[in-house]
Amino acid sequence: MNLGVQYYRPPFPLRKYWADDFKRIRDSGLNTVQLWVLWGWVEAAPGKFEYGDYDALVALAAKNRLGVVLSTIAEIQPPWIHREVPGSEMVTNLGAKVISSNRSECHFGITPGGCTDHPGVWERMSRFLAETVRRYRSAPNLVGWDAWNELRWNVQADGLVCFCEHTIAAFHKWLDLKYGGLDGLNRAWLRRYSCWEDVRPGKLPHRPYTEMIAWEHFITARCNRHGQARYDLIKGLDPGHPVTVHAATPSPMMAGGAENYAIDRGNDWFLAEGMDGIGCSSFPKWSNLDDADFGMRVEFVKSAAGGKRVWLSEVQGGRSATGFNIYPAVDALSQQRWIWNGLACGADTILFWCWRDEVFGYESAGFGLVGADGLAAERLAAMKATAGLLAGNRRLLAAYQPARAEVGVLFSPQSYYLHWAEEGQARRPAEALRGYARALVRKSIPYVVVEEEHLRAIDDLKILFLPRVLATGPEIEHRLADFVRKGGTLVCESECGAFSPAGLYRYPEDRFLAKLAGVQEIGRRPLPAGPVEATADGQALRIEGTQWLTPFRAKQAKVWARNADGALAAEIPVGKGRVILVGTYPGEAYAKTFNADFENLVEFAVRRAGARPEIEVLSPAPTKDAFLYVKSGDSAGTRVVFVFFPGGHDLARLRLRKGFFAKKAVRDIISGRKFTLTKAQGGAQELTLAASPTRICVLVGD
Ligand SMILES: [Zn+2]
């Protein structure tokens, strides 16, 4: 496993610190350093490449037995780019040329720089990438390439981009391919365009849905394509090393906003498909992420990666800083928890951001693993202890894979685009998805996120949750129907599939649930105060919703809740499977405000679908802010269970499926303690655990 730290963002730290820092990095147990190779810095004058500082750092790393990950930062461009490539500026939705400037957190090099759809920009960018790869591909301590940092391409564009002629031409080409010509587009969109020139992207939210959704989709695809181009170039010159990219945040969390479309930094599933893996950044103290939130980020990336590499490329090193704000310091126990949580969820590389505190204006005084938040010494001591454990259990951890999931949550980019087109952000579907994932994590139920254009993953599932999936096309509708008829359970929310991919609203009888399950939604009604009181198979469930209620009728339905207008929650048998429909948005409501009954609803549906979690937490009982976090998996036939104790609870009881562990005792590889399994009803196994000072157990069968 690569356990490392970001070190160099030129020209900092200054050379005088390097030798001592690298020795300390090695002494702390870390085995890898990451270096930012900045285009703007390396090729500060056109055609003149200067790598002297990197040569020295790579050699110094080798001397200290440290591997090197090179991050190719081609998106921070040389200040001469527009002079050398005239007309390469990005253009905003209002037709203004974007003025590039030095990045707020990077000392030299401009951003966003030239548009990569301009052939002159890509030609020069690819020359820089090729020079860099040729120079370091033979370095004996090269670990791999992080080809694109946080998939940034429009930072500091100060508006919606890019409307330059090259990007618009690429948009038309993409549409042409997708629809098989202008006639096909007109048929799909119900438009009467007479030439491509007239097909313009949406300008702002609501203007209008159809063009805006298509444009957002194109922007995602364009980002995927650029990532793939970087990968192909680097991999072509250096087939022997892994090449990945990493997002700031997994794509299901990219809700967009005033200057960003939804999912405008690519789609992890498509990126991973063509590369050696995929990653993301995480700043848990800064963003106030708990075990579930942090774990979900890794699980989302892992879902996208399939069996490929999962790189956590920026994990918070020390206290964050923006301006003169002060944020919580990073304590050693939390930081070590991120490492074990990352491992438990399937990460194979963890790189902290960063070694020293930053010196750049806005981020100055922040993020250093050895920074001045008062806790550096304890962080380094804990890092050394963890690094020793990782090394001592190398084989076990290297072969570890998280448990296979029978439960899926659908990620529907089309629905995100629709929401952004409607509201200028896709916060609602992102929160809805997070709600289901979070409930599953807290119930220790393994799950996988399924992307709407990568549906092969549903073949392994028993149940699929559809959080705010408002837009569906014929292909996905067909696959979902097939899934249900063969025995799968689909959990749908209000107005599922109520919009076509072109953003046109469908009458209830034209929606796929009408055809599949005879569902007739009767329209939107105000959301009353208080929850919907439901009874499912004798179990009372109070379902909190958001936005509205959409009562419905369905002939075969076992109704769980109703009002005067119709059913509000019901189970509808279809073929060998079933549809569970709730006429509001409980996932989004739960993500906003905790309610235990949502977790019960999710667990009820999972069991209804015939999925049986292997591990159950008997105690402590979960509360809003604390839950016993359990992840499990397998390492070459050996079961591995990660247990994270919440604050205030030092004892835990687990029930494990019959035969889960082969022997009568398990060992915690962190503390070295042994625990004995006892027999429970039906042959199940029970385990009582006591927290150690780290509050983490990693159990393996003895
Ligand atoms: Zn452009």
Side-chain angles (χ1 to χ4, degrees):
M1 180 187 184
N2 305 312
L3 186 66
V5 66
Q6 155 68 23
Y7 186 73
Y8 189 56
R9 180 153 58 171
F12 305 108
L14 296 176
R15 195 177 281 256
K16 62 181 178 179
Y17 297 113
W18 296 355
D20 188 48
D21 280 352
F22 275 34
K23 195 175 160 305
R24 287 182 77 201
I25 291 171
R26 183 69 242 180
D27 287 347
S28 70
L30 298 168
N31 58 26
T32 305
V33 288
Q34 176 175 274
L35 310 174
W36 267 33
V37 189
L38 283 166
W39 181 19
W41 177 252
V42 167
E43 196 186 354
K48 197 164 164 267
F49 296 90
E50 292 182 50
Y51 288 101
D53 42 356
Y54 299 100
D55 290 351
L57 285 161
V58 172
L60 188 63
K63 193 178 148 197
N64 286 281
R65 290 172 291 120
L66 291 167
V68 171
V69 168
L70 293 176
S71 287
T72 48
I73 312 292
E75 62 279 11
I76 295 193
Q77 301 185 7
W80 47 256
I81 188 70
H82 298 311
R83 193 170 64 250
E84 288 290 312
V85 189
S88 60
E89 290 89 352
M90 288 190 188
V91 174
T92 72
N93 56 334
L94 302 181
K97 269 188 187 176
V98 173
I99 297 171
S100 292
S101 60
N102 281 324
R103 178 81 72 80
S104 68
E105 80 282 15
C106 190
H107 201 62
F108 188 73
I110 63 166
T111 191
C115 177
T116 51
D117 289 324
H118 190 300
V121 172
W122 173 243
E123 188 195 318
R124 281 161 182 79
M125 186 184 278
S126 53
R127 201 179 302 157
F128 154 72
L129 290 169
E131 282 285 332
T132 306
V133 177
R134 283 196 198 97
R135 195 168 187 99
Y136 297 109
R137 64 186 167 187
S138 306
N141 56 333
L142 181 67
V143 169
W145 301 92
D146 189 14
W148 195 359
N149 176 71
E150 295 191 341
L151 310 170
R152 289 164 179 259
W153 62 275
N154 60 342
V155 176
Q156 291 178 192
D158 304 321
L160 291 167
V161 284
C162 175
F163 292 70
C164 83
E165 57 177 308
H166 302 283
T167 305
I168 299 289
F171 177 49
H172 290 154
K173 206 171 145 192
W174 181 80
L175 289 171
D176 192 15
L177 208 67
K178 186 174 161 74
Y179 292 108
L182 194 60
D183 287 348
L185 175 131
N186 279 327
R187 271 197 304 277
W189 289 9
L190 309 178
R191 298 282 205 241
R192 291 181 177 178
Y193 287 117
S194 62
C195 70
W196 281 114
E197 210 182 340
D198 297 341
V199 183
R200 297 291 302 175
K203 180 179 142 191
L204 284 167
H206 334 141
R207 301 191 198 170
Y209 280 11
T210 305
E211 281 73 1
M212 184 54 85
I213 289 170
W215 175 245
E216 288 180 78
H217 193 179
F218 161 75
I219 290 287
T220 305
R222 170 187 180 274
C223 196
N224 297 341
R225 194 188 59 203
H226 179 69
Q228 192 64 47
R230 288 194 189 196
Y231 172 89
D232 290 345
L233 190 153
I234 296 172
K235 197 74 182 177
L237 292 169
D238 183 12
H241 289 104
V243 182
T244 69
V245 297
H246 81 275
T249 265
S251 33
M253 293 176 167
M254 295 295 280
E259 291 180 14
N260 289 282
Y261 303 105
I263 322 173
D264 66 351
R265 293 193 195 171
N267 179 324
D268 295 344
W269 277 257
F270 285 92
L271 289 163
E273 206 164 53
M275 302 187 188
D276 301 332
I278 181 86
C280 78
S281 303
S282 298
F283 292 82
K285 277 284 167 195
W286 194 8
S287 320
N288 195 24
L289 306 181
D290 69 359
D291 291 336
D293 284 324
F294 181 80
M296 280 188 297
R297 296 175 77 84
V298 189
E299 283 170 331
F300 289 6
V301 173
K302 176 77 180 165
S303 297
K308 293 186 178 179
R309 290 166 196 269
V310 174
W311 283 28
L312 305 187
S313 293
E314 298 182 36
V315 178
Q316 191 169 355
R319 182 167 64 206
S320 63
T322 51
F324 291 127
N325 298 304
I326 181 162
Y327 297 97
V330 174
D331 62 283
L333 283 186
S334 295
Q335 191 164 58
Q336 299 315 302
R337 216 169 160 97
W338 305 332
I339 296 176
W340 291 107
N341 193 350
L343 276 169
C345 296
D348 50 69
T349 292
I350 297 180
L351 301 170
F352 288 95
W353 186 279
C354 49
W355 180 252
R356 281 180 169 271
D357 273 342
E358 307 264 23
V359 297
F360 304 97
Y362 191 58
E363 294 188 350
S364 56
F367 302 100
L369 191 63
V370 293
D373 64 356
L375 301 179
E378 71 168 60
R379 279 197 296 269
L380 289 184
M383 194 67 76
K384 195 170 179 117
T386 300
L389 285 168
L390 297 183
N393 295 281
R394 186 178 291 126
R395 209 172 293 168
L396 175 89
L397 297 172
Y400 169 80
Q401 281 296 325
R404 204 176 62 79
E406 295 179 315
V407 178
V409 182
L410 188 73
F411 167 43
S412 163
Q414 290 300 324
S415 298
Y416 280 52
Y417 302 143
L418 174 81
H419 279 83
W420 194 96
E422 170 76 319
E423 300 189 314
Q425 55 168 302
R427 182 63 54 199
R428 289 177 188 280
E431 284 291 279
L433 190 150
R434 193 174 76 86
Y436 284 95
R438 191 174 164 77
L440 289 163
V441 171
R442 284 174 46 105
K443 287 284 183 184
S444 309
I445 299 170
Y447 70 97
V448 63
V449 179
V450 180
E451 197 272 344
E452 69 187 353
E453 289 186 72
H454 295 82
L455 291 176
R456 220 179 38 159
I458 69 172
D459 295 342
D460 301 329
L461 303 180
K462 291 192 168 151
I463 180 169
L464 184 64
F465 292 95
L466 272 58
R468 280 197 84 107
V469 176
L470 300 197
T472 53
E475 203 165 315
I476 182 167
E477 291 170 356
H478 176 76
R479 286 297 299 271
L480 295 179
D482 192 47
F483 171 70
V484 171
R485 289 197 185 101
K486 285 182 175 157
T489 296
L490 217 53
V491 180
C492 304
E493 299 186 326
S494 171
E495 297 207 338
C496 183
F499 289 83
S500 74
L504 300 172
Y505 192 59
R506 292 161 167 156
Y507 294 120
E509 63 271 24
D510 295 330
R511 298 174 194 167
F512 86 99
L513 283 184
K515 291 163 201 157
L516 176 65
V519 169
Q520 283 287 315
E521 293 183 293
I522 64 163
R524 300 169 183 174
R525 302 289 182 269
L527 185 73
V532 171
E533 305 279 353
T535 308
D537 228 15
Q539 183 174 344
L541 294 166
R542 294 157 62 88
I543 302 172
E544 302 282 352
T546 58
Q547 209 161 25
W548 56 54
L549 294 178
T550 46
F552 57 90
R553 287 190 277 271
K555 268 189 189 152
Q556 304 288 323
K558 290 180 199 162
V559 175
W560 296 353
R562 64 167 69 251
N563 69 5
D565 295 325
L568 298 173
E571 176 183 349
I572 307 142
V574 178
K576 292 180 179 165
R578 64 183 63 72
V579 169
I580 293 172
L581 175 61
V582 179
T584 183
Y585 301 104
E588 189 193 355
Y590 168 81
K592 272 188 190 149
T593 311
F594 171 80
N595 70 90
D597 262 21
F598 177 73
E599 295 182 354
N600 296 333
L601 170 70
V602 166
E603 189 177 31
F604 179 86
V606 166
R607 288 182 181 276
R608 197 80 179 154
R612 292 280 176 269
E614 293 188 306
I615 301 177
E616 238 181 300
V617 176
L618 300 178
S619 72
T623 62
K624 174 177 171 284
D625 297 315
F627 72 105
L628 189 85
Y629 176 46
V630 180
K631 287 291 298 181
S632 68
D634 179 283
S635 170
T638 300
R639 298 281 192 152
V640 186
V641 179
F642 296 78
V643 180
F644 300 83
F645 285 80
H649 295 277
D650 293 330
L651 279 179
R653 270 178 64 228
L654 302 181
R655 183 184 293 146
L656 311 158
R657 179 190 281 188
K658 183 181 177 180
F660 184 91
F661 280 117
K663 301 216 175 133
K664 284 181 186 158
V666 292
R667 186 170 49 90
D668 170 17
I669 65 169
I670 295 187
S671 67
R673 294 170 306 164
K674 284 192 174 182
F675 298 97
T676 309
L677 293 153
T678 55
K679 273 194 182 162
Q681 219 179 0
Q685 305 176 328
E686 277 191 20
L687 196 52
T688 301
L689 299 169
S692 65
T694 63
R695 309 194 66 74
I696 303 165
C697 293
V698 181
L699 306 170
V700 293
D702 241 349

